[in-house]
Amino acid sequence: DIVMTQSPDSLAVSLGERATINCKSSQSVLYSSNNENYLAWYQQKPGQPPKVLFYWASTRKSGVPDRFSGSGSGTDFTLTISSLQAEDVAVYYCQQYYSTPYTFGQGTKLEIK
Amino acid sequence: EVQLVESGGGLVKPGGSLRLPCAASGFTFSNAWMNWVRQAPGKGLEWVGHIKSKTHGGTTEYAAPVKGRFTISRDDSKNTLYLQMSSLKTEDTAVYYCTAGRWFDPWGQGTLVTVSS
């Protein structure tokens, strides 16, 4: 199984500041035949289901604000919020869909400082 | 509007069974790979399993903790996904979400399954 490890587990950032969440996979999720990283990012707010922010590691889902960006390749990925807004308070998860069992990181709880 | 609606959750005793339906609308359900994902109270997300579209063989795969106890099926004529759970354990207590695709989008609101005596 591919193990996904996020860091940090929790993060407190001031409004307007940058937030960075890292995700590392135990093996590469880059599929050589199409040069795509099989990595998605999700945001989950309290009492709500998760919603996808990025797929293929850096393709932003329509409607996601452009202050969110996804980057990385192979085994190391990053979700960045360039200027934190109050509505960004949530738990963020990375997930690999390279191979089954599909696996998630443990989650990173993002709060306002 | 793309929508997934789960139902069927509730309280069940250890060793019992439960079937969760998930009704889909707003997209071509028959073309979608469909998944179940669960979230234990206060915990993270865990993929339960998926069923591929019929054009991709309609096969199923499961996570190790549920393999042999849970069965995923689909009725494309009713745009409905199912999760049949048997031999339930207390550790199966969770909100169960259905979700579509290789990356998971959209998600239903979830249905709570509580396994307790």
Side-chain angles (χ1 to χ4, degrees), chain A residues 42 51-52 55 61, chain B residues 2 4 99-107:
Chain A
Y42 301 88
K51 69 171 191 176
V52 69
Y55 48 94
K61 162 83 174 178
Chain B
V2 174
L4 294 169
T99 180
R102 295 292 299 277
W103 61 86
F104 303 152
D105 181 41
W107 295 64

Side-chain angles (χ1 to χ4, degrees), chain B:
Chain B
E1 180 192 5
V2 174
Q3 195 170 18
L4 294 169
V5 179
E6 307 92 338
S7 59
L11 175 64
V12 60
K13 288 181 167 50
S17 297
L18 205 58
R19 188 178 82 151
L20 307 181
C22 169
S25 60
F27 65 101
T28 307
F29 178 78
S30 60
N31 290 346
W33 292 27
M34 296 298 298
N35 306 268
W36 288 96
V37 174
R38 68 184 180 182
Q39 186 169 35
K43 302 297 185 183
L45 301 168
E46 180 184 26
W47 178 76
V48 171
H50 73 184
I51 184 166
K52 297 180 181 179
S53 62
K54 293 279 196 303
T55 56
H56 287 91
T59 54
T60 53
E61 294 182 87
Y62 300 93
V66 308
K67 194 170 186 180
R69 300 187 299 121
F70 289 12
T71 301
I72 297 172
S73 60
R74 64 192 300 159
D75 185 339
D76 290 346
S77 69
K78 295 182 178 179
N79 287 349
T80 302
L81 175 73
Y82 299 98
L83 179 65
Q84 177 68 49
M85 304 184 291
S86 61
S87 303
L88 281 160
K89 306 175 181 180
T90 55
E91 54 263 40
D92 295 320
T93 294
V95 173
Y96 285 75
Y97 297 102
C98 66
T99 180
R102 295 292 299 277
W103 61 86
F104 303 152
D105 181 41
W107 295 64
Q109 283 297 311
T111 187
L112 176 62
V113 173
T114 303
V115 184
S116 174
S117 54

